[in-house]
Amino acid sequence: MRKASVIFSFLLLVVCLFQACEVENCPPNALSYAHFTFVDQHGRQISRKGLTSVYGRITTDITVQDTLPDGSLQDRVVHDTVITDTLINKEQDMSSFKVPLSFNSETLLILDYDGIQQDQISVQHKNIPYFLNIDCGTMLFHEVTGIQTSNGIDSIQIINPNIDNNEKENFKIYFTVSDDL
């Protein structure tokens, strides 16, 4: 009887250890972020002086409820609604930033410098769902297919078009700055 108890205890320990190992197979970071770096015209990393904010903007259809005179609610679809969300709020002397991309095929980012000037970055991308296992769930990766800018940004270079949960530089944002600095 004692021998059966020892064998059962050993088997229970082995089962618990194997179940614990499965969870450790999940990556520590299941989120994917696009990494942008500010550089000057010579490719050297620079810091934007002052406060910089980054906003994400999407256009989508939303459903709202209107209250009718009799007190009942009626659903109404509002087409092409603009939704803006603050991703980074007033970061001091920013030299790089990481932000998630939209579930849509295009992500519009607005860079706001001290509330005085704004630049827009439009990133076109394919969304790639990635299933690792049932314990870890699904991750969403992106493949950049195009990018456009406006205003003070000279250009953007795509360094790595594959955005996944590995931390790496994806874009260099070029600005013309004085060589006297």
Side-chain angles (χ1 to χ4, degrees):
M1 180 72 177
R2 179 174 161 89
K3 194 174 192 180
S5 175
V6 170
I7 292 173
F8 177 74
S9 297
F10 177 74
L11 289 175
L12 184 62
L13 178 66
V14 169
V15 168
C16 289
L17 287 176
F18 280 125
Q19 287 180 349
C21 289
E22 281 186 36
V23 175
E24 290 180 12
N25 289 335
C26 296
N29 182 12
L31 302 174
S32 57
Y33 292 95
H35 184 195
F36 295 82
T37 303
F38 295 143
V39 295
D40 66 9
Q41 65 269 25
H42 305 293
R44 299 177 299 221
Q45 187 168 353
I46 59 170
S47 291
R48 295 285 304 182
K49 299 299 179 204
L51 300 175
T52 304
S53 297
V54 179
Y55 306 105
R57 182 174 289 166
I58 63 170
T59 303
T60 188
D61 297 339
I62 63 169
T63 302
V64 296
Q65 291 186 330
D66 292 331
T67 304
L68 300 176
D70 65 356
S72 63
L73 298 176
Q74 178 182 6
D75 289 344
R76 178 174 51 99
V77 176
V78 179
H79 298 284
D80 298 330
T81 303
V82 176
I83 300 173
T84 302
D85 193 14
T86 303
L87 303 174
I88 298 173
N89 191 27
K90 298 182 180 176
E91 180 76 24
Q92 182 71 37
D93 299 332
M94 184 187 294
S95 61
S96 67
F97 64 93
K98 293 184 269 190
V99 293
L101 296 183
S102 170
F103 292 111
N104 296 338
S105 60
E106 180 179 22
T107 300
L108 179 63
L109 301 172
I110 300 167
L111 281 64
D112 184 290
Y113 314 111
D114 292 318
I116 299 170
Q117 179 187 349
Q118 289 187 344
D119 287 327
Q120 291 187 9
I121 301 172
S122 175
V123 182
Q124 294 80 40
H125 50 86
K126 291 190 323 188
N127 296 325
I128 305 165
Y130 179 76
F131 180 76
L132 185 60
N133 64 41
I134 197 156
D135 292 328
C136 301
T138 303
M139 296 182 278
L140 188 62
F141 296 159
H142 311 279
E143 181 183 341
V144 177
T145 58
I147 193 161
Q148 286 87 36
T149 64
S150 69
N151 296 337
I153 295 175
D154 290 339
S155 64
I156 292 188
Q157 179 184 10
I158 300 172
I159 303 299
N160 188 336
N162 299 315
I163 299 171
D164 53 28
N165 63 332
N166 296 321
E167 293 191 23
K168 60 187 174 296
E169 182 180 47
N170 300 104
F171 305 96
K172 285 188 180 189
I173 302 175
Y174 284 86
F175 295 95
T176 300
V177 296
S178 171
D179 286 332
D180 297 334
L181 298 177

